[in-house]
Every structure is written in C-alpha cells, then in structure tokens.
Amino acid sequence: QVQLVESGGGLVQAGGSLRLSCAASGLTFSTYAMAWFRQAPGKDREFVTIIGSTGISTRYADSAKGRFTISRDNAKNTVYLQMNSLKPEDTAVYYCAAGRNYYASGQAAFAFWGQGTQVTVSS
C-alpha cells in the first residue's frame, strides 16, 4: 500500500518559515519525481514545485521561486519543502504527490497523493 504522509504544517506569521516533510512508503521512492501542490480556500489546486528522482532537477511555480526550496533524501524516502518569507497568500493545504514524469506538472500525472497539511500564514 503506497502511503505519502505530510507533516510540518502549522500557523506562522508573515515573513516566517516552515519546513514541510513528506514520508513515502510502499513504492520505490528513488524512481519517482516528487511534487508539492497547494489548495487555498475557494481556489483550485495548483502546482508549487517538483524535484526529479535523483534530486538534481527542480522546477518552481513563479509564486514559489526564490522563497521555497524542494529537496529530497532518497535514503530516508522523504521529500521536503522549505518555505521562507511566507506571505498570507501562501495559506493553503499543501499536498505532496509522486509521479513518473518530471516534465509533467498537471495533477493527473501524479499517481499517489498525501493527505495534505495545513499551512496558515497570518499578517
């Protein structure tokens, strides 16, 4: 049974930082690209960032570029999202997802999803 379990969300003041983690099991983690998506209240789920299976290649949405950093530790089957300089508009449920194609960023390209973790950024 494939499981992706996010953690690290919470309440933070604008300008602060959080690090999200996503622990994977039940799949060959090192063969999957791993991505983060987010969904704000009343909004569609949107792509945030993705990292290739080896951890060398990364891609970011414009909203995340320069503030967020995705990384992975294949020995720990874990992907991370370091979020700095947080803004109220970053408030959302953050989901990790696993997919076979690094070059795809649509939701349908990702076979496995975590349960999400809430990030709330106050002014």
Side-chain angles (χ1 to χ4, degrees):
Q1 176 69 229
V2 173
Q3 294 186 66
L4 304 178
V5 181
E6 298 109 330
S7 61
L11 175 64
V12 65
Q13 194 171 9
S17 298
L18 284 173
R19 189 179 75 160
L20 307 183
S21 299
C22 175
S25 61
L27 78 170
T28 306
F29 182 77
S30 62
T31 69
Y32 282 84
M34 298 296 299
W36 290 93
F37 290 77
R38 68 186 184 186
Q39 187 166 25
K43 303 293 185 182
D44 292 334
R45 192 169 299 183
E46 66 174 352
F47 170 82
V48 178
T49 181
I50 190 167
I51 187 166
S53 60
T54 67
I56 295 173
S57 299
T58 60
R59 190 168 71 248
Y60 296 89
D62 288 343
S63 60
K65 206 168 298 179
R67 299 187 300 126
F68 294 4
T69 303
I70 189 170
S71 62
R72 67 191 295 160
D73 186 340
N74 284 352
K76 296 182 177 179
N77 287 357
T78 302
V79 63
Y80 305 94
L81 181 63
Q82 178 67 46
M83 303 187 293
N84 298 326
S85 301
L86 283 162
K87 305 173 181 178
E89 51 262 46
D90 295 318
T91 295
V93 176
Y94 283 72
Y95 299 89
C96 70
R100 292 290 195 182
N101 186 0
Y102 169 79
Y103 298 99
S105 56
Q107 295 180 52
F110 296 87
F112 306 111
W113 293 80
Q115 82 286 356
T117 186
Q118 176 71 48
V119 171
T120 303
V121 184
S122 63
S123 299

